[in-house]
């Protein structure tokens, strides 16, 4: 009889913990989507893009929503919208920088990397102490040959190596 009660209590606790975890996950996801919607409103209000093809979010030292699309002149354009309203929106033509494949090629050609598996690649913005400004970057997350996660960052403009972070 005691085992049945313990089992019932365990199942009830498991259901409550699962419900709470799902609730936290959904509220976190909703915050991200709300922030993306705010950023999309800014892009639309300021008529920065005519068409949006892709939206990603980058969480570095500051959060940015990155919009890939077509501007009013018909050119492929990338817009980085910061969550911090005090920060400036960055706009670059795709042709002003390297694309995803070129960024990966630069990574492959870097002799200091030992890539086993690419986990993700996305555009972001980081503060560059050399130029004392926010600079668009490519962030490539990969596993090295020792299965360590590595964050490889390169400049959007050239694809050249900027910094590597190995936690």
């Amino acid at each position: 009889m005691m085992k049945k009660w313990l089992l019932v209590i365990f199942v009830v606790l498991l259901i409550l913990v699962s419900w709470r975890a799902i609730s936290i996950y959904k509220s976190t996801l909703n915050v991200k989507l709300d922030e993306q919607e705010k950023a999309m409103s800014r892009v639309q209000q300021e008529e920065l893009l005519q068409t949006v093809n892709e939206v990603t979010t980058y969480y570095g030292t500051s959060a940015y929503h990155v919009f890939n699309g077509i501007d009013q002149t018909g050119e492929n354009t990338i817009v980085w919208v910061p969550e911090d309203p005090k920060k400036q929106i960055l706009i670059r033509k795709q042709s002003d920088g390297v694309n995803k494949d070129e960024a990966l090629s630069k990574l492959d050609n870097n002799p200091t990397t030992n890539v086993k598996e690419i986990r993700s690649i996305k555009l972001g913005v980081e503060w560059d102490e050399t130029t004392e400004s926010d600079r668009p970057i490519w962030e490539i997350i990969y596993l090295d040959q020792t299965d360590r996660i590595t964050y490889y960052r390169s400049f959007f403009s050239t694809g050249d190596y900027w910094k590597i972070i190995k936690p």
Side-chain angles (χ1 to χ4, degrees):
M1 187 66 153
M2 184 68 160
K3 287 183 182 182
K4 284 184 182 182
W5 276 108
L6 287 175
L7 182 62
V8 168
I9 291 171
F10 175 75
V11 168
V12 168
L13 284 174
L14 184 63
I15 290 170
L16 287 173
V17 168
S18 298
W19 170 76
R20 188 66 187 139
I22 290 169
S23 174
I24 290 170
Y25 174 76
K26 282 184 175 182
S27 67
T28 303
L29 186 61
N30 286 340
V31 167
K32 178 182 174 182
L33 293 175
D34 288 345
E35 290 298 325
Q36 277 186 351
E37 286 177 19
K38 285 181 196 173
M40 177 65 92
S41 292
R42 285 181 73 186
V43 168
Q44 290 171 337
Q45 286 172 355
E46 297 181 32
E47 297 181 353
L48 302 174
L49 293 173
Q50 186 175 349
T51 306
V52 174
N53 299 327
E54 180 185 20
V55 180
T56 58
T57 302
Y58 175 78
Y59 296 103
T61 50
S62 296
Y64 279 81
H65 301 284
V66 184
F67 295 84
N68 287 306
I70 310 293
D71 68 7
Q72 275 57 17
T73 64
E75 289 192 67
N76 289 328
T77 303
I78 302 167
V79 178
W80 290 264
V81 179
E83 281 189 5
D84 182 350
K86 297 174 197 149
K87 289 189 169 269
Q88 184 177 347
I89 292 175
L90 301 173
I91 303 168
R92 302 286 189 280
K93 304 288 184 207
Q94 175 63 56
S95 59
D96 292 341
V98 298
N99 64 32
K100 196 179 284 191
D101 292 333
E102 292 167 326
L104 285 169
S105 176
K106 292 269 190 171
L107 169 71
D108 289 339
N109 293 329
N110 186 323
T112 64
T113 61
N114 202 1
V115 179
K116 178 179 178 181
E117 175 188 336
I118 301 291
R119 288 292 176 97
S120 73
I121 178 169
K122 69 168 111 177
L123 288 165
V125 172
E126 287 293 337
W127 179 258
D128 182 6
E129 293 172 5
T130 307
T131 61
E132 294 187 359
S133 65
D134 284 332
R135 290 192 60 180
I137 62 159
W138 280 104
E139 179 184 69
I140 304 171
I141 302 173
Y142 67 89
L143 285 179
D144 67 12
Q145 294 299 324
T146 60
D147 289 331
R148 259 189 348 187
I149 283 258
T150 304
Y151 295 81
Y152 179 90
R153 294 178 175 161
S154 62
F155 296 116
F156 165 74
S157 57
T158 62
D160 292 339
Y161 166 80
W162 177 46
K163 74 165 63 168
I164 197 163
I165 301 169
K166 294 183 180 190

